[in-house]
Amino acid sequence: MEKDGMKIINKGLEDEMEVWGYCVSRWRLVLVCVGTLCTGGLLLLLLYWLPEWGVKSTCTPCPLKDAHILLLRSTDEFQSWFRVRVHLMQAPGHSPFDAVDLQTSPANGNGGKPYPDVSLTEPQTLQIRYFTHHSMQYFWNDTMQNFEVINGMEDLRLSCSSLLSEYSTGLSRPQQEYRKQFFGENEIAVRVPSIFKLLIKEVLNPFYIFQLFSVILWSAEEYYYYAAAIVFMSVISIAISLYTIKKQYVMLHDMVAAHSIVRVSVCRGKKEVEEAMSTDLVPGDVIVIPTKGTIMPCDAVLISGTCIVNESMLTGESVPVTKTSLPNSEVEGRELYSSEQHKRHTLFCGTQVIQTRFYSGELVKALVVHTGFSTEKGQLVRSILYPKPTDFKLYRDAYLFLLCLVGVAGIGFIYTIVLSVIHQVPAKTIIIESLDIVTITVPPALPAAMTAGIVYAQRRLKRVGIYCISPQRINICGQLNLVCFDKTGTLTEDGLDLWAVHRTERGRFIQPEEDTGTECEVESPFLACMAACHSLTKIDRELSGDPLDLKMFHATGWILEEATEEETSLHNPIMPTVVRPPKQPQGKRSTLSEVTPTADQSMELYELPDTYELGIVRQFPFSSALQRMSVVVRRLGGKHMEAYLKGAPEVVASLCNSSSIPENFTEVLEGYTSRGFRVIALAHRQLEAKLTWHKVQSLNRDHIESNMEFLGLIIMQNKLKPETAEVLEDLRRANIRTVMVTGDNLLTAISVARDCGMIGPQERVIVADAQPPGGGHAAVVLWHYTDSPTAPASKNGHFQLVDVESDGALSNGRLREQYHFAMSGKSLAAIIEHFPDLVPKLVLRGTVFARMAPDQKTQLVEILQSVDYFVGMCGDGANDCGALKRAHGGISLSELEASVASPFTSTTPNISCVPNLIREGRAALITSFCVFKFMALYSMIQYLSVTLLYSILSNLGDFQFLFIDVVIILIIAFTMSLNPAWRELVAQRPPSSLISGPLLFSVLTQILVCLGFQASAFVWVQHQSWYEKWTPLSDACNRSRVGLSIDPNVTHPVDHKNIRNYENTTLFYISSFQYLVVAIIYSKGKPFRQPSYKNWPFVLSCISLYIFLFLIMLFPVPAIDNFLEIVCVPYEWRITMVIIILVNAVVSFVLETLVLDIILWRLVFSQDKLEKDGVAPATQNTQLSNDRWGSRFLAWLFCRNRNAPKTRYIQLAQELQDDLDWPPRPQTCTYGKAPHHSIIL
């Protein structure tokens, strides 16, 4: 962990960093100051851009405990550097959980004791060292000899029962003030920077510093107009950038500040309750949740009462969630508290408490566990404020390409100096002109031109209802070759239809029933379970809750009644939620007000009139980890309580008596799930008569949910959205893999995958069922092959596992390729832990991942990215936030606040947004390549012109530069980006790298063509019979053609810069047309963009510039010639220049279109395109081409034969094609000790 004084903080977490300690060195600081003065501030700028250099040049290394300056480096692939300053704080203790007031503090609960257990018996003051990074404070820990972040109560590693017993009374005021010194104000403070700060930060960008240097240089050369034009463009660019950044800060600030500060009731001791501002809350405080609800200002765990909460801000799930108090039973109470594991008991910051439930006058209380940026909402805001850098090869290659241009500029720099010295040019002129060649080589308008395509794509996405908060991700979406989809709400409709119920009697299934309300007896346990086992509640007299619960409850036709606030306040006993059948005899039903206990009954459940109404005594909410929920109910007037359970069939069956489970349970279940139905199992049992309300509240969940009697199955139908199949087919034709990642049943997910076209009707599905080691057995993976369901949906269908070995399927190479892997989240976790070498092979063909928890979805995205897939993720926001953020292109179908975590948000609630996003991404990516190549050629063409003119001590004029850079380049660069995306997705993907064969060939060949024609024209004009060194008295036009003679420029002053000459005029015309030719051949359309002729601004601009240039070249206008400092040349030479221009255009077009796009691209550069289905070989056609001698020679010439595929998934696919033992054979298993050895069962 420690190396050269380096420590690691946040170890194992996403924001893990290495940290080094430094102390300021005065003599180094003096040297840096001197260097800054000598370099005119450039050294200071360099140290500002490179913080690691800045720290090492002004400080000396020292131990962390003595450091004043810290140097941080992230351990991810970006290796980002940060410089922070260590601060000192005076406090009476080392950590916020030290007991500083023994008279008023609760017992110290240090659990795992990560902090020193200091008991301060007398006042003393300690110096606490800390630093702040990305809105989180890190404090020095003497025990660990390292800095660590203090998040809140979870750092104490206390059990649930310890939290309840030791911290349920709250903190005293001295304790609260002491802890506030460490945790600060409870506020997610999004500071909106001032315009001045944003301006300074923007202006110090290396690009603008280079522009400032260029403007100063041009002004020294008296190129005032051009310098003014660049300044004007820079000011506009900076203003737009500042406006955009400021707007984003203001939007985020308003979103957070809308409910960040509220008044709360804080408990001080057992009885005292005081009003306070939410900013004063610290972990350990106990707050009272108002009856009418509130917006939570912190993360807090319920210690008494029940809350109905809307968590859409965090999860994107608009369905209200029931939160219950923290369990205190023997088993559950011993569990260490975790906000993730106990989220059903935790109220998260920013979520809205709609209403509360309390009994016998008790207050609904919650213990504050996290405040400020440590809360769930704070972490979400931090991810927006401090996003990870965008890692895309295009941007890295762009910097490399710019470095190449700088290298070329260096050659020109040396060339200019040598040439000027030879011609004895004054030193001042040498310096200015040699530096000028650098500003010409690196185009100042490149970043603005590159951004234009992304901005246009963002506007087009907005028009189709896709909003983007990370525009740079648009280009990355052009490279997506795999998209993960959530199932429910994304591929299928949100709602579920009750298709049938399949009850059991005496351990056997009876015939399925369609109408539950009429076919089931009123007092049937099955019907009672459907009516009572849910988390529904009434909000404003309307039933609200999970859609599945609503559908099931409405199918029973029963009525749900809850105690009103008035009834709760009038009576001491518990007022349970009651469910009852709709038809009750008049006068027989008892009202809640009739229920009055005797004095000796106290809190026991009292006797009620004999009528069939069920009171829900306790609820165990649904847990995605447990895949079940249960309730304890008592029939009003009954002698005993009953427990009802519902959940995943395989889970419910494991909790039931084996005698109550039908023998054909597995076959019936698989018959439904294999046809895409969602199946819920029900169970119940009668509890002991001696159980009282108090005892039920203290019982743990496992005790209730055991020894159940199986009741039957509820079959729900989840229909595909109409657009799903068509969109997935479009993606398949585009060779984009599609993967389903869902929390639903595995066989249901497989069936839906077949229905929507993810899995073809003739394609095999291999189920990988992994079991972790246990009971003396090693970890094992069982391989099952599923049959393709072809029978129509019927109520007695079944599912088959088939042995395909007998029909020789695996020996057939064609069928061998047509397989998919499917697995559950549990199996994936076991494979990752015990079979890591199988993971890449499985994700290469993995299509269905079921029963996936939210963190497993994120983990799967990371695994796919690790084998070099560009991964997209599409979900409805619920439980998908982590995966949406992690994917290269995450698109949320939810417009709720949780969508701020996703780079893209669609207002269209179906997956049709995915191909739209990819099409626009491809168009934007191709536009970026086109613009980059055009701007590179523009700088090189101008560089060639100036270099040639330097040889005769000439240069382009101020207005010539202005005309080229503003009238030609800017107009063309911004209009060539307007091509819309092609209307359909095609199979090939655009390139992702600038440093690739085709692109380098394109740029280099065009540079050589332009150099050839410019140099030829430059030399040719000097060998004309009429050529002479131009002077104001020269009259070349009159010598050759009297009709076009122009008055000699006898009144012109002496041209000290030697701008006016025949070489300058010739190169100005030739180069001006070269810019337009390059723009046209680089402005490519199909198959990723619409054809250029449909881009009317670009076409109009090109035609207008062509007409203008041809007019002033063939029919000179004296006013324009004087403005552009062009001299008159004979008409014959003008015709010659037209021929040179036309031949140049033809050669450039042939090289780019015929040679590159047709010959080289198809026969050579396509060898590494192994893209069929994301992995299948596309080398068959390529191999046929390579069998021809011509393509083999070209491949040898470009060194393509020896190049292995660069992407890992393609390499792996090629390796597996030669592996005859893959995929595993049916009905075999793979053991952990021999991961590649299969044994036939």
Side-chain angles (χ1 to χ4, degrees), residues 35-78:
T36 301
L37 292 174
C38 295
T39 59
L42 291 179
L43 177 60
L44 195 61
L45 276 174
L46 183 64
L47 299 182
Y48 169 78
W49 294 330
L50 301 170
E52 69 274 24
W53 288 17
V55 172
K56 293 176 181 178
S57 61
T58 58
C59 305
T60 54
C62 69
L64 277 184
K65 64 179 181 178
D66 302 322
H68 298 149
I69 301 293
L70 298 179
L71 188 59
L72 308 175
R73 183 176 68 182
S74 63
T75 57
D76 56 20
E77 66 272 23
F78 304 105

Side-chain angles (χ1 to χ4, degrees), residues 971-972 975 1076 1095-1106:
I971 292 177
I972 293 299
T975 56
L1076 294 177
N1095 181 358
W1096 64 265
F1098 175 72
V1099 173
L1100 187 61
S1101 300
C1102 289
I1103 293 175
S1104 300
L1105 287 170
Y1106 265 116

Side-chain angles (χ1 to χ4, degrees), residues 1111-1130:
L1111 282 176
I1112 65 172
M1113 185 174 69
L1114 296 176
F1115 308 100
V1117 178
I1120 296 177
D1121 285 357
N1122 288 332
F1123 178 77
L1124 295 176
E1125 299 181 273
I1126 297 172
V1127 300
C1128 185
V1129 295

